[in-house]
């Protein structure tokens, strides 16, 4: 960690309560916290640059790091891209993660997190297996990570609540609190009501949250009606899964009563529009969720069902898909979408991040404005800047990624990993797992 970092002369997209954008501003970081934000002249009058790492952010936007609220470390992508969800899970995803060992998970996580960091993501809410390997990867590369297991009923040969409890004991609070462990439930088709009830009890015992796929596809809704006699969200509600520390991913096919249950329980929603589109799962009722007052963040889901971990791309999807389907260009305005990818995701995880305000954790990115994506850019126009961030930019515009006050990535280089070695090892891990995986016949 650098003791002190001063990012000056930038366009500061604070995402604070007043939604201030400061043109020609400075952000000061000391240790793992933001200590000052203001115009360059005001901040210069309050603090000197002695001993600090000084970054000149002229022609850059400085903004909170992005929060990827539904995430899976990925070993393979672009493999079986043509399948519907259930078939894809049974013939590819589950066999791969059953065969995975901790070292392969470690390399897969480093490869996954490195792509995210390059694209300005500072927090991942990662449900996967072999959490010791994931925690090691997160600790070394420097990303903020909430990890959870893929828990299912025993016959599915994934993780158990005991695995998740062990992972919590091993890794929760590691790396200065940068790594946390939640209890993860894969989804209702692989879970009994008994398992769901025990999941909430374990989360309460550990004082942690729950991460679950919920109401992702029509087949899941049908499965729920057949097995439980009611819709997925109703089952989750009855079993105590829904509460304000539950991150419910997808929520594509929510009925009005299900939205009301989400509201009653304060459940946090991860909207993953590009994954939902690619897998042919549909379009979540985000306008209705927002109207009901739900907190909605954004996730890419997994590179297997999205292929890119670029959350800028997800932001664009999170606007366009609703405008197209409702024939309404007033939906999902750019500032609201940036808020979903920053503050909303952070609030869902109860993190002290998501805005550039003194006292908050220093998860900060800089975005290059001197390129075609941001041209033309009217001087001192907040609306123009937000529009470009959502509709024109992609993750390659990110120059610098800082987490917990540490510079992890700057000008195309990682400070914490050997990127080429990570990619090489992740390729080998994929091949080794393919050799070992057993596809059910
Ligand atoms: Zn997922």
């Amino acid at each position: 960690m650098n003791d002190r970092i001063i990012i000056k002369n930038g366009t500061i997209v604070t995402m604070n309560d007043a939604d201030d954008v400061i043109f020609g501003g400075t952000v000061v970081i000391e240790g793992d916290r933001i200590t000052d934000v203001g115009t360059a002249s005001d901040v210069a009058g309050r603090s000197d640059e002695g001993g600090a790492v000084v970054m000149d952010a002229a022609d850059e936007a400085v903004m909170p790091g992005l929060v990827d609220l539904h995430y899976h470390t990925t070993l393979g992508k672009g493999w079986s891209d043509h399948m519907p969800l259930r078939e894809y899970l049974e013939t590819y995803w589950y066999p791969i993660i059953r065969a995975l060992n901790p070292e392969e998970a470690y390399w897969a996580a480093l490869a996954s997190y490195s792509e995210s960091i390059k694209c300005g993501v500072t927090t991942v809410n990662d449900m996967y297996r072999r959490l010791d390997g994931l925690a090691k990867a997160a600790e070394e590369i420097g990303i903020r990570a909430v990890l959870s297991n893929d828990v299912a009923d025993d016959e599915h040969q994934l993780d158990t609540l005991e695995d998740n409890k062990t992972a919590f004991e091993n890794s929760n609070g590691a790396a200065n609190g940068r790594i946390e462990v939640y209890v993860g439930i894969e989804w209702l088709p692989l879970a009994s009501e008994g398992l769901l009830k025990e999941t909430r009890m374990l989360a309460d015992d550990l004082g942690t949250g729950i991460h679950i796929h919920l109401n992702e596809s029509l087949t899941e809704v049908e499965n729920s009606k057949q097995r439980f006699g009611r819709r997925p969200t109703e089952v989750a509600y009855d079993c105590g899964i829904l509460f304000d520390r539950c991150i419910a991913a997808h929520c594509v096919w929510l009925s009005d009563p299900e939205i009301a249950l989400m509201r009653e329980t304060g459940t946090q929603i991860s909207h993953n529009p590009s994954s939902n589109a690619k897998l042919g799962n549909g379009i979540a009722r985000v306008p209705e969720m927002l109207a009901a007052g739900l907190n909605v963040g954004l996730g890419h889901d997994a590179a297997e069902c999205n292929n890119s971990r670029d959350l800028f791309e997800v932001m664009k999807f999170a606007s366009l898909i609703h405008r197209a389907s409702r024939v309404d260009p007033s939906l999902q305005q750019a500032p609201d979408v940036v808020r979903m990818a920053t503050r909303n995701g952070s609030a869902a995880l109860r993190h002290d991040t998501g805005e550039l305000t003194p006292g908050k954790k220093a998860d900060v990115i800089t975005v290059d404005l001197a390129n075609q994506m941001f041209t033309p850019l009217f001087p001192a126009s907040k609306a123009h800047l937000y529009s470009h961030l959502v509709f024109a930019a992609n993750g390659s515009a990110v120059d610098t990624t800082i987490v917990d006050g540490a510079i992890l990535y700057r000008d195309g280089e990682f400070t914490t990993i050997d990127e080429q070695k990570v990619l090489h090892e992740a390729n080998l891990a994929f091949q080794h797992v393919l050799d070992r995986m057993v596809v059910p016949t």
Side-chain angles (χ1 to χ4, degrees), residues 70 72 213 250 301:
H70 180 58
H72 306 278
H213 295 105
H250 302 301
D301 195 354

Side-chain angles (χ1 to χ4, degrees), residues 65-105:
L66 307 180
V67 178
D68 198 331
L69 192 57
H70 180 58
Y71 194 101
H72 306 278
T73 281
T74 289
L75 191 70
K77 69 176 175 191
W79 200 259
S80 304
D81 265 354
H82 57 291
M83 290 181 183
L85 178 62
R86 188 71 194 256
E87 189 182 348
Y88 162 78
L89 290 171
E90 298 292 351
T91 60
Y92 178 62
W93 171 264
Y94 296 144
I96 276 208
I97 63 175
R98 284 184 192 118
L100 188 75
N101 71 33
E103 185 171 3
E104 289 153 351

Side-chain angles (χ1 to χ4, degrees), residues 344-379:
N344 292 10
S346 175
L349 296 167
R350 295 191 179 180
H351 284 173
D352 213 5
T353 61
E355 60 181 292
L356 304 185
T357 301
K360 293 285 180 185
K361 287 272 193 176
D363 289 10
V364 181
I365 63 173
T366 72
V367 179
D368 178 27
L369 303 179
N371 59 51
Q372 289 85 349
M373 290 180 243
F374 288 88
T375 303
L377 182 58
F378 198 79

